[in-house]
Amino acid sequence: MKISRCIKFDIKEYFKNNLSLYISFLIVFLVGVVFGIINSLSSDNYLKILTKENKILYSFINGSIKVGSVFGKYLWKLILPLFLIFVLGLNFYFCLFSYLIIGYQSSVLIMSIFAMVSTYGLSGVLNVLFIMLPINLIYIMALIIFASENLKRSYRAIKLKKFAIGYADDKYIFSLVVSILCVIIISLFGSIIIPLFLKNAIFLIF
């Protein structure tokens, strides 16, 4: 019982202590949303976003590509921003570019939503509400958690002049584990569950 309470308290304190960083990333996220909306309304380039995703889904549904290959593509796509945040986190000043990654992700999300709705109408709206939006918001939140912890760690490292400080801390490991788990779960969801669902879905046809 005491262990359970301790874990809940630690997690609650963890998010409370990072609130200011989360707010700053939220602001950047909203800026990315604005850029995504402006870009989508000013041109139709956002429609190109669906091309690669459709190709992967077509190949899976037609049986010309294996589940493992689809999973690998999704995993690489989602793990790359996480890896970039880690690399940028080696230095505090470079770590500030993590904000650009979050802004970019939110901008692409908005353009993907415009593309899905424009291309598939009502079925696209359903896809956005029940699949695309929830998954991407969870993913971006995982990136924010990891980016925030990297910012804190790199700031401590430059302040104390100890390059590797913080990597073994429980809070850093927690953020890393949460982020990696989210990436793996979302990759499995995107490469297996969604394609299998689309094979039998009536409301969404690619």
Side-chain angles (χ1 to χ4, degrees), residues 21-199:
L21 280 172
Y22 294 155
I23 292 174
S24 65
F25 275 107
L26 177 60
I27 292 172
V28 173
F29 173 84
L30 294 175
V31 171
V33 168
V34 172
F35 273 104
I37 293 173
I38 292 174
N39 190 43
S40 298
L41 293 176
S42 60
S43 68
D44 60 355
N45 289 332
Y46 62 88
L47 293 172
K48 297 177 182 178
I49 294 177
L50 291 182
T51 304
K52 190 174 181 180
E53 296 294 330
N54 284 355
K55 186 177 180 180
I56 293 175
L57 289 174
Y58 266 129
S59 300
F60 180 87
I61 292 171
N62 293 332
S64 59
I65 188 171
K66 296 181 179 180
V67 173
S69 179
V70 179
F71 175 75
K73 291 177 184 295
Y74 269 90
L75 185 62
W76 169 250
K77 175 185 174 181
L78 297 178
I79 206 74
L80 182 58
L82 201 66
F83 177 73
L84 289 176
I85 290 173
F86 172 77
V87 172
L88 291 172
L90 297 175
N91 178 273
F92 173 71
Y93 298 107
F94 284 122
C95 196
L96 294 173
F97 286 100
S98 298
Y99 285 101
L100 293 180
I101 294 177
I102 301 302
Y104 173 79
Q105 292 292 327
S106 64
S107 183
V108 170
L109 172 59
I110 294 303
M111 289 189 288
S112 298
I113 290 174
F114 269 87
M116 184 65 70
V117 174
S118 298
T119 306
Y120 301 110
L122 179 59
S123 61
V125 173
L126 294 174
N127 186 296
V128 167
L129 291 177
F130 296 106
I131 300 176
M132 181 184 290
L133 196 56
I135 287 178
N136 279 278
L137 288 179
I138 292 172
Y139 174 63
I140 291 175
M141 187 61 213
L143 291 181
I144 289 175
I145 290 173
F146 188 56
S148 298
E149 200 58 43
N150 270 277
L151 270 171
K152 288 175 63 179
R153 190 218 65 82
S154 60
Y155 177 75
R156 286 176 59 205
I158 198 172
K159 188 176 181 180
L160 299 176
K161 297 182 179 179
K162 293 182 179 180
F163 173 76
I165 192 172
Y167 284 118
D169 289 355
D170 291 341
K171 292 179 180 179
Y172 186 86
I173 294 174
F174 171 78
S175 68
L176 179 61
V177 170
V178 167
S179 301
I180 291 176
L181 282 176
C182 281
V183 166
I184 293 174
I185 291 171
I186 291 172
S187 296
L188 286 170
F189 195 82
S191 62
I192 299 176
I193 297 175
I194 293 178
L196 288 175
F197 173 73
L198 291 178
K199 275 188 174 183

